[in-house]
Amino acid sequence: MISYNGSERMTKSVVVKNVTKKYKLYKNNSDKLKDVFLSKEYGEDYFALRNVSFEAEKGDIIGFVGVNGSGKSTLSNIIAGIVPETSGDIEIEGKTALIAVASGLNNQLSGRENIELKLLMLGFNKQEITELEPGIIEFSELGKFIDQPVKSYSSGMKSRLGFAISIHIDPDVMIIDEALSVGDKAFAEKCLDKMNEFKEQGKTMFFVSHSLGQMKRFCQKALWLEYGEVRAFGPISEVMPQYEKFLKDYKAMNDLEKKKYREDQMAKRSQAQA
Amino acid sequence: MSFLTTVIKEQIQNFYLIRRLSLYEMKSTNKNNYLGMLWELLNPAIQVVVFYFVFGIGIKQTEDIGEVPFFIWMIIGLLVWFFVNPSITQGSKAVYSRIKMVSKMNFPLSVIPTYVIISKFYPHVALISLTAIILQFTGYPISIYFIQLPYFMLSTVIFLIALSLITSTLSTIARDVQMLVQSLMRVLLYVTPILWSPYLHLPDWALTLMKVNPLFYLIEGYRAALLGDGWYIWSTYSLYFWGVVVVMLLIGSALHVKFRKHFIDFL
């Protein structure tokens, strides 16, 4: 655990220290079962994240970049408190909210019922829910569809609803995982406006996106993940050129080199049990 | 013991949450039907009619159970079964099928099986009340023994919560447990005194063996209460029942608390 002195406490909002997330890969189901119930370890370790450390100040907007499978979503989920870390420490000032494309909506229930259910699960009482509901419905722009079952929604509509709920619960730390890439441009603009508003209020935001343009416009800092480890962390103006150069080099590789790169990546992250 | 207090504390502190979530649960299961929640009553009614044809007219069990006509005796057992059966099967898949919805780690996960069970409890209360009213006009007026009814309803709920804590944890770890539970439930219908009376033909040892099943206690308790058939609470059988429940609660809460941080990793 980390402790702060008074002045630091004011500015740091998320401190991630040596966070590791290990998944187990099993050859078969019996290994999996043995691993749960026996003290000896079975299966092969796979490091989705390894020794990730960084700090975010209040009001920071940090973009997570990296190729597919580099651990961006795992890190988002851990910061949001959905997935537990295997080891390491995370300190967060205040409430977090994760906005992802598939953000746990109940398909059978209507949009309105989902709003109520979601808020209920987040610990709001009946009166607070009644107060928050109109704002959420308004922001989601779902119109008549708010009383239709969520299974009839398009993916854009779902992400709009998820986004609307998450920003209205007034989180201190927000994590946006690819959620804006399914919405149309107008809605994305609206969300970016809202996020700028949050930025002025001193909220911290994390942003996962493959749209580098969006990221450059919006984020001040970037965290580049590779093999589940931090390759670079710093102002966007420093990290982005490096990452773009890497992408260019990666694209320029021939198939054999790409394959080798991926295999190296795999080998680095997995580790068989002795 | 600390596991048990954690779980019990969560249940009590989140009583409001459990109530509200159970209502949404009922809504979402019946949303697709035009008749909606009416199915919670229609479904048992249809089954009662079928069982009546099979056991009342088809096989024709003419022997009454004590002084009670077989049909009335059977219906009370079935009513409890209609609550217990879906609660156990749904309760055991409660955690792994809903954990995605929860989406926050500080959510008190132990309330998930509870709210699923409570959502089955509302139709049960409706059915029992309806039956109690019908019994008034069919020769079983309300008696002092009736006050056992709330006790047995509460006992059933607590028993189901204790059982679901175990099964929901195990089935999250290994989905096979869900399959096992479903098959065992089919067996359970026939080894519990619901469709046939164990008092008529069974030797003593077999009767004792059947009484190991806590559902035996609950169902006979409902009958004693609704039919004004004496006190069922005051017996050593009650002690046995609560002993079983406490042991199940201890195992269930220990398992649940031990594994719950990793439930999401098992998906």
Side-chain angles (χ1 to χ4, degrees), chain B residues 197-238:
Chain B
S197 168
Y199 299 111
L200 298 177
H201 311 292
L202 283 187
D204 278 349
W205 64 267
L207 187 64
T208 315
L209 195 66
M210 277 186 76
K211 283 190 165 184
V212 170
N213 173 7
L215 285 177
F216 192 113
Y217 171 76
L218 293 169
I219 288 176
E220 284 296 278
Y222 269 85
R223 286 187 179 129
L226 282 169
L227 302 175
D229 200 20
W231 295 107
Y232 207 75
I233 300 182
W234 313 118
S235 63
T236 47
Y237 200 15
S238 293

Side-chain angles (χ1 to χ4, degrees), chain B residues 60-93:
Chain B
K60 196 147 177 96
Q61 179 158 2
T62 41
E63 288 165 286
D64 292 344
I65 317 295
E67 287 167 9
V68 184
F70 172 75
F71 182 59
I72 289 177
W73 184 89
M74 180 191 79
I75 279 190
I76 296 173
L78 275 175
L79 288 181
V80 183
W81 182 250
F82 292 150
F83 172 41
V84 167
N85 181 31
S87 296
I88 293 179
T89 47
Q90 297 291 313
S92 80
K93 59 176 159 184

Side-chain angles (χ1 to χ4, degrees), chain A residues 21-23 32-33 36-37 80-85 95-98 103-106 108-110 112-114 116-118 120-127 129 147 149 151, chain B residues 16-17 19-22 24-25 27-29 31-32 98-108 112 115 170 172-174 176 255 258-267:
Chain A
K21 177 71 187 177
K22 194 170 76 177
Y23 283 104
K32 191 173 167 185
L33 211 61
V36 173
F37 292 104
I82 293 167
V83 171
E85 67 275 8
K95 207 158 45 173
T96 60
L98 174 81
S103 49
L105 298 168
N106 183 328
Q108 301 301 324
L109 296 175
S110 71
R112 190 188 300 274
E113 285 160 339
N114 263 294
E116 290 162 9
L117 188 61
K118 202 86 193 165
L120 200 59
M121 286 187 159
L122 289 165
F124 289 89
N125 64 36
K126 199 172 186 170
Q127 198 202 333
I129 294 174
D147 289 310
K151 63 182 174 192
Chain B
Y16 170 76
L17 189 65
R19 259 178 38 226
R20 291 295 304 272
L21 289 179
S22 59
Y24 281 105
E25 174 71 22
K27 249 191 214 166
S28 90
T29 38
K31 193 82 188 187
N32 274 338
R98 287 173 185 79
I99 192 154
K100 275 256 158 75
M101 265 302 283
V102 172
S103 80
K104 268 278 173 228
M105 286 237 304
N106 52 14
F107 184 84
I112 298 182
Y115 85 70
L170 292 179
T172 306
I173 297 169
D176 312 54
L255 277 173
K258 184 166 183 276
F259 284 108
R260 72 160 149 202
K261 198 170 183 246
H262 300 287
F263 279 163
I264 195 105
D265 291 335
F266 282 111
L267 287 189

Side-chain angles (χ1 to χ4, degrees), chain B residues 123-174:
Chain B
H124 177 65
V125 172
L127 278 175
I128 288 288
S129 316
L130 199 68
T131 313
I133 293 169
I134 294 169
L135 284 173
Q136 298 306 305
F137 304 104
T138 47
Y140 297 93
I142 192 162
S143 70
I144 181 79
Y145 303 116
F146 209 78
I147 56 176
Q148 295 175 104
L149 189 61
Y151 161 82
F152 280 107
M153 290 169 103
L154 190 69
S155 306
T156 310
V157 171
I158 294 173
F159 165 76
L160 290 171
I161 291 173
L163 182 64
S164 300
L165 267 176
I166 303 174
T167 55
S168 66
T169 305
L170 292 179
S171 66
T172 306
I173 297 169

